[in-house]
């Protein structure tokens, strides 16, 4: 597998590298199943929001849906990562995917039976978040066992296409399906699409964690290697956090992401900005929300060159600084088309940052720790933007939306550069010799 993939590392095309899909049938099934299920989940997310609003007529009640998913993601994200380091990751992934599938069937059953209980919808959303928090660390930890190290950037770029496509296409399809055929049809499509993810997990080989301390990405053949067949030891969340505390390069991947998500995340201000800056309405807000996602999709499509980058730490710092600069520029413009361009550039930079950060977490972390570090990743991804929303809203109330957006973008750039100056080794991180 590795010999066949080497020529692709030096490819000249800027478009997404599809080598992982060609060389690994297991990864191909996993990627396809995940993509289809992401679209289905995007449909369900919108359908549940619409149903809650229909039942309550309250925007606050709709907002509680996000809270019901955030708390389980934060609480079970770390726990799910520890579980992924203690058992066969295939079984964990299959079990949690089965749980999500059954919850989709439950949504369908409540719709068919005419049950109109908001509390039940909240409970289902919370349980879906639990299943995701258990499934995501297991699935992410599998990828370095299915592919050689040089293909991890391409795999993570393809993963960004999955999440972005689900974010964009899922809600659009959900709106159309609910509008034409109702909630029952949307929940039916979600349940059917989830079977692709179940099939992909079922076809995978056993994925017991490798307890050998020197194990890193690419050090073993897929599903095999020293220690893989041993009964895994008990893994603790605290052990994973202690490991992270002594690994400066890995810490920087999280710190840099927090700089972007906490200091320069203006999404909560889009409804205000659409009216005050651009004299628009809900449609304008929709354009602002879609712009970063479109940029992220473009970044994933044009990711073929990322596999040739070796200085992943430097690339992360540059990408996060570009995000902050684009957000700051967005805060200065009062022309809608130009604001959309800057938001799209920010989304593109975020994709590049995600690809390199994800690759570092997979390549520099021993297999016995990958689940727990992926659990920390879930907590940061789930909690960071919410803190950013709170900070942006607070600054906008105390000063103005312009100060919140532009000031946050500048603060992001300054913060990530200061962190890079403090931990200079991060800038010299070499993908050919990954060091945590």
């Amino acid at each position: 597998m590795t010999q066949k993939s080497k020529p692709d590392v030096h490819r000249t095309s800027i478009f997404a590298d599809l080598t992982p899909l060609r060389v690994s049938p297991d990864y191909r099934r996993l990627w396809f199943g995940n993509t289809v299920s992401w679209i289905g989940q995007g449909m369900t997310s919108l359908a549940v929001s619409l149903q809650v609003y229909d039942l309550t007529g309250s925007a606050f009640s709709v907002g509680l849906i996000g809270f019901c998913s955030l708390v389980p993601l934060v609480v079970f994200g770390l726990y799910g990562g520890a579980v992924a380091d203690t058992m066969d990751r295939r079984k964990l992934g299959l079990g949690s995917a089965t749980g999500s599938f059954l919850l989709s069937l439950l949504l369908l059953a409540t719709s068919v039976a005419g049950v109109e209980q908001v509390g039940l919808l909240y409970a289902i959303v919370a349980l879906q978040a639990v299943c995701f928090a258990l499934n995501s660390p297991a699935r992410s930890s599998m990828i370095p066992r299915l592919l050689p190290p040089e293909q991890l950037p391409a795999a993570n770029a393809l993963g960004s296409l999955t999440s972005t496509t689900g974010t964009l296409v899922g809600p659009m399809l959900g709106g159309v399906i609910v509008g034409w055929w109702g909630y029952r049809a949307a929940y039916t499509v979600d349940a059917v699409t989830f079977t692709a993810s179940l099939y992909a997990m079922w076809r995978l080989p056993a994925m017991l964690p490798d307890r050998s301390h020197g194990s890193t990405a690419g050090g073993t053949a897929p599903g095999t290697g020293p220690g893989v067949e041993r009964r895994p030891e008990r893994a603790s969340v605290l052990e994973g956090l202690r490991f992270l505390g002594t690994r400066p390069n890995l810490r920087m991947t999280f710190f840099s992401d927090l700089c972007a998500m906490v200091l320069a995340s203006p999404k909560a201000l889009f409804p205000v900005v659409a009216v005050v800056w651009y004299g628009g309405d809900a449609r304008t807000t929709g354009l602002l929300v879609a712009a970063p996602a479109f940029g992220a999709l473009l970044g994933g499509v044009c990711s073929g060159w990322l596999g040739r980058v070796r200085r992943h730490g430097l690339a992360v710092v540059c990408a996060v600084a570009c995000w902050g600069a684009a957000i700051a520029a967005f805060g200065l413009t009062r022309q809608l088309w130009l604001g959309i361009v800057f938001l799209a550039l920010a989304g593109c930079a975020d994709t590049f940052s995600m690809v390199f950060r994800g690759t570092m977490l997979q390549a520099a972390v021993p297999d016995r720790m990958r689940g727990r570090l992926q659990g920390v990743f879930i907590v940061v991804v789930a909690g960071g933007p919410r803190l950013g929303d709170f900070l942006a809203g607070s600054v906008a109330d105390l000063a103005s939306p312009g100060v919140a957006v532009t000031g946050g973008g500048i603060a992001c750039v300054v913060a990530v550069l200061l962190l890079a100056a403090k931990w200079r080794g991060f800038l010299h991180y070499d993908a050919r010799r990954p060091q945590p």
Side-chain angles (χ1 to χ4, degrees):
M1 180 189 301
T2 304
Q3 294 300 320
K4 291 181 180 179
S5 64
K6 283 183 178 179
D8 292 314
V9 176
H10 303 288
R11 49 185 275 150
T12 57
S13 174
I14 67 169
F15 296 110
D17 185 357
L18 304 181
T19 302
L21 299 177
R22 293 198 302 268
V23 303
S24 174
D26 287 327
Y27 175 78
R28 181 168 61 247
R29 285 189 291 267
L30 192 65
W31 181 84
F32 177 78
N34 197 33
T35 300
V36 173
S37 63
W38 260 87
I39 294 174
Q41 287 291 284
M43 294 171 50
T44 292
S45 178
L46 180 70
V48 169
S49 297
L50 292 173
Q51 188 171 9
V52 168
Y53 187 74
D54 281 349
L55 293 175
T56 65
S58 166
F60 176 77
S61 298
V62 176
L64 282 179
I65 297 174
F67 180 79
C68 290
S69 62
L70 173 63
V71 173
L73 282 175
V74 172
V75 173
F76 284 89
L78 294 175
Y79 176 74
V83 173
D85 287 339
T86 65
M87 64 178 293
D88 184 348
R89 289 162 180 163
R90 172 189 174 272
K91 291 182 179 178
L92 177 60
L94 185 59
S96 53
T98 301
S100 295
F101 172 69
L102 293 176
L103 289 169
S104 295
L105 291 180
L106 181 58
L107 279 173
L108 174 60
T110 60
S111 179
V112 171
V115 177
E116 297 183 343
Q117 296 291 330
V118 175
L120 178 59
L121 294 177
Y122 286 156
I124 293 174
V125 167
L127 290 174
Q128 285 178 328
V130 171
C131 291
F132 179 83
L134 293 174
N135 183 271
S136 185
R139 188 179 62 249
S140 298
S141 301
M142 294 174 185
I143 295 176
R145 298 271 286 274
L146 300 175
L147 297 168
E150 64 268 18
Q151 290 179 16
L152 292 180
N156 285 307
L158 291 170
S160 75
L161 285 175
T162 291
S163 57
T164 306
T165 301
T167 302
L168 284 174
V169 177
M172 288 191 297
L173 286 177
V176 172
I177 291 175
V178 170
W180 285 0
W181 299 293
Y183 303 115
R184 186 183 309 175
Y187 298 146
T188 300
V189 173
D190 181 31
V192 171
T193 58
F194 232 106
T195 58
S197 181
L198 288 173
Y199 176 73
M201 286 287 182
W202 178 69
R203 288 291 305 273
L204 287 172
M207 291 275 181
L208 283 170
D210 187 345
R211 306 303 299 182
S212 59
H213 287 256
S215 172
T216 54
T220 63
T224 63
V228 173
E229 297 302 328
R230 301 173 188 169
R231 180 178 295 276
E233 304 168 9
R234 181 180 180 181
S236 73
V237 172
L238 291 179
E239 183 185 0
L241 294 176
R242 284 194 295 267
F243 175 84
L244 179 61
T246 59
R247 302 303 192 275
N249 287 334
L250 297 179
R251 287 202 311 271
M252 268 294 291
T253 63
F254 293 110
F255 289 160
S256 60
D257 188 38
L258 288 173
C259 286
M261 295 299 100
V262 176
L263 298 177
S265 181
K267 184 177 179 180
L269 302 180
F270 284 166
V272 177
V273 165
V275 175
V276 176
W277 291 1
Y278 304 120
D281 51 19
R283 289 172 295 183
T284 309
T285 303
L287 288 175
L288 296 178
V289 172
F294 177 78
L297 181 63
L298 184 63
V301 171
C302 300
S303 61
W305 59 276
L306 299 183
R308 301 195 298 273
V309 177
R310 302 298 187 187
R311 300 280 290 277
H312 287 184
L314 178 61
V316 168
V317 171
C318 291
V320 172
C322 287
W323 163 278
I327 294 298
F330 165 71
L332 295 174
T333 183
R334 295 300 180 267
Q335 292 181 296
L336 180 59
W337 71 269
L338 193 55
I340 289 175
V341 168
F342 284 127
L343 288 176
L345 289 174
C348 186
D350 185 48
T351 290
F352 297 154
S353 169
M354 185 278 296
V355 168
F356 292 120
R357 286 184 290 107
T359 300
M360 292 174 72
L361 281 178
Q362 292 167 338
V365 177
D367 187 70
R368 62 189 177 87
M369 287 286 181
R370 283 193 186 121
R372 279 164 285 187
L373 269 294
Q374 292 295 333
V376 175
F377 177 80
I378 290 177
V379 172
V380 170
V381 169
R386 272 72 177 188
L387 291 176
D389 290 344
F390 175 77
L391 180 62
S394 300
V395 175
D397 279 345
L398 293 173
S400 70
V403 171
V405 176
T406 300
I410 294 173
C412 170
V413 175
V414 172
V416 76
L417 292 179
L418 289 176
L419 288 171
K422 180 175 178 60
W423 286 289
R424 295 178 182 272
F426 185 70
L427 300 176
H428 301 288
Y429 177 94
D430 191 331
R432 293 167 293 188
R433 294 178 293 278
Q435 295 294 325

